[in-house]
Amino acid sequence: MSHRSIIVLPDDTGREIISAIENAEKSILIKMFLFSDPDLINAVVAAKKRGIDVRVMLNPARRNGEEENEETRKMLVEAGIEVRDSNPNFILTHEKSMVVDEKLGFIKSLNWETKNLTETRDYAIITSHHREVEEIMLCFEADWHRRSFDPGENSYLIWCSNNGRTRIANFIDDAKHSLFVQNERFQDLVIIERIVRAASRGVKVHVMARPPHTLKMDKLVEGVGGLRIMEDVGIKIHKLRHLKLHGKMLLADGCRAIVGSINLTPGSFDHRRELAIEVNDDAVIERLKEIAHYDWENSHTLDLSDKGIFEDLENHDVGGVDKLVLKDGEKKKKHHGN
């Protein structure tokens, strides 16, 4: 019988992912943005050694040219595992997925880095639904062989750069009573507009984001602007207290959710390979409701005033204050102690 389940990190650890690799009987397909965790590397290498057909697709480099997967690539290749760069038609492949034995699919927000298993709020949905697993495999094969991939209008999953923006926009539009959104970045104007409209029609919206200093310099203006637009219409915006937010999750009306790799940015929707899934399974939703409540209780308001943004950027020495045209008065108070 088909089912879906959820892993919530760091609460659940990476044990279930490793167990799935250890229990593989014939094949493992892995597509990953960043892969460096020693336990996961060892599990994949051990699978190959016991005769499992393992193929791994890794993002070759970030936009700045940094190649963070090179050491892992060498270890996998030395173990006899076939490793390829992800599809060059995309600026980045940010998808984080795995298929085991052509019957179990993992759709994740987390990279296979130790910090994503131990320090960040992250999620993974495990599905045995045939059509969903098949879509992940079809996209893997298309990217592996550098072919185009079009999941079609009736796609079971959410893909970028295919149907991602449309599916997430429609998900928000369908919210009736409540909408909880966790994401690192809020920069896509279409999605921001949908969230604002949801609040305007009476939906109770709660947003969790990361502070301005975590944004890349060239995305600072739109990132801060997106958060401020939502705050200006009364949307509550918080940041986690004791965990770093890396997960990408939307929960609507306590009965539907989207989990995956997609940041709410034009780059993710239009230029990256991304993957997410919409779920309504009772056990998964109940767990997400518990986590949403827990995380909101263990968070605090993100200070988006001129003073708050200025202090956040200055305290972390990342610059960018001038780009935001913050009030001179706030700068003088900081510099002169007045």
Side-chain angles (χ1 to χ4, degrees), residues 42-80:
N42 291 338
V44 172
V45 169
K48 176 64 179 178
K49 287 181 177 178
R50 69 174 189 274
I52 305 301
D53 178 19
V54 181
R55 285 187 286 160
V56 178
M57 206 178 316
L58 297 174
N59 187 72
R62 290 181 181 264
R63 287 182 302 168
N64 63 7
E66 187 177 2
E67 297 183 348
E68 296 165 286
N69 291 319
E70 273 310 296
E71 287 302 313
T72 299
R73 178 191 297 273
K74 290 176 184 177
M75 287 186 278
L76 297 178
V77 169
E78 286 173 1

Side-chain angles (χ1 to χ4, degrees), residues 243-284:
L243 283 175
K244 294 178 181 178
L245 176 61
H246 184 259
K248 302 93 171 67
M249 187 267 281
L250 298 91
L251 176 64
D253 300 326
C255 64
R256 301 177 296 121
I258 289 177
V259 171
S261 69
I262 305 172
N263 284 310
L264 303 179
T265 69
S268 290
F269 289 125
D270 298 327
H271 304 297
R272 296 183 177 190
R273 171 67 80 209
E274 304 269 13
L275 172 61
I277 184 171
E278 182 173 345
V279 296
N280 58 10
D281 311 71
D282 289 345
V284 173

Side-chain angles (χ1 to χ4, degrees), residues 45-298:
V45 169
K48 176 64 179 178
K49 287 181 177 178
R50 69 174 189 274
I52 305 301
D53 178 19
V54 181
R55 285 187 286 160
V56 178
M57 206 178 316
L58 297 174
N59 187 72
R62 290 181 181 264
R63 287 182 302 168
N64 63 7
E66 187 177 2
E67 297 183 348
E68 296 165 286
N69 291 319
E70 273 310 296
E71 287 302 313
T72 299
R73 178 191 297 273
K74 290 176 184 177
M75 287 186 278
L76 297 178
V77 169
E78 286 173 1
I81 295 170
E82 191 171 4
V83 183
R84 292 189 184 178
D85 287 346
S86 51
N87 194 333
N89 289 333
F90 298 95
I91 293 173
L92 290 176
T93 287
H94 197 238
E95 175 187 344
K96 306 98 162 44
S97 67
M98 178 172 73
V99 174
V100 177
D101 293 336
E102 301 182 0
K103 61 184 180 181
L104 195 65
F106 288 70
I107 299 168
K108 297 165 283 189
S109 68
L110 67 138
N111 293 300
W112 279 7
E113 293 190 293
T114 303
K115 69 178 181 180
N116 288 133
L117 299 167
T118 59
E119 299 175 14
T120 64
R121 171 63 74 222
D122 264 302
Y123 304 96
I125 296 293
I126 308 170
T127 178
S128 66
H129 285 250
H130 171 70
R131 297 291 180 85
E132 294 167 354
V133 174
E134 184 180 47
E135 268 189 33
I136 303 171
M137 293 172 59
L138 287 172
C139 183
F140 186 96
E141 294 297 342
D143 285 347
W144 186 265
H145 296 289
R146 307 318 195 217
R147 298 193 299 257
S148 63
F149 170 71
D150 183 357
E153 293 183 3
N154 298 316
S155 170
Y156 287 85
L157 301 176
I158 303 170
W159 296 97
C160 297
S161 55
N162 300 87
N163 60 7
R165 183 182 281 111
T166 299
R167 287 284 299 271
I168 291 178
N170 290 342
F171 178 92
I172 296 168
D173 289 346
D174 290 339
K176 302 292 190 299
H177 310 292
S178 65
L179 180 66
F180 179 86
V181 186
Q182 280 185 332
N183 206 280
E184 286 184 277
R185 292 184 277 157
F186 294 78
Q187 296 164 10
D188 189 78
L189 289 178
V190 172
I191 300 303
I192 291 168
E193 176 191 41
R194 289 313 209 282
I195 294 173
V196 167
R197 288 186 175 187
S200 298
R201 67 175 181 268
V203 176
K204 188 175 182 181
V205 180
H206 291 78
V207 166
M208 300 200 75
R210 296 180 70 174
H213 75 265
T214 64
L215 296 169
K216 291 182 172 63
M217 188 63 65
D218 62 340
K219 302 298 181 184
L220 183 62
V221 172
E222 60 192 80
V224 170
L227 294 175
R228 282 181 142 185
I229 287 169
M230 293 187 290
E231 184 186 54
D232 284 347
V233 298
I235 294 171
K236 295 180 179 179
I237 301 176
H238 279 205
K239 64 176 179 179
L240 279 169
R241 273 202 187 97
H242 306 301
L243 283 175
K244 294 178 181 178
L245 176 61
H246 184 259
K248 302 93 171 67
M249 187 267 281
L250 298 91
L251 176 64
D253 300 326
C255 64
R256 301 177 296 121
I258 289 177
V259 171
S261 69
I262 305 172
N263 284 310
L264 303 179
T265 69
S268 290
F269 289 125
D270 298 327
H271 304 297
R272 296 183 177 190
R273 171 67 80 209
E274 304 269 13
L275 172 61
I277 184 171
E278 182 173 345
V279 296
N280 58 10
D281 311 71
D282 289 345
V284 173
I285 295 299
E286 283 305 310
R287 183 78 191 282
L288 286 175
K289 285 164 64 176
E290 291 173 6
I291 292 298
H293 177 76
Y294 177 86
D295 282 355
W296 194 257
E297 290 297 312
N298 289 276

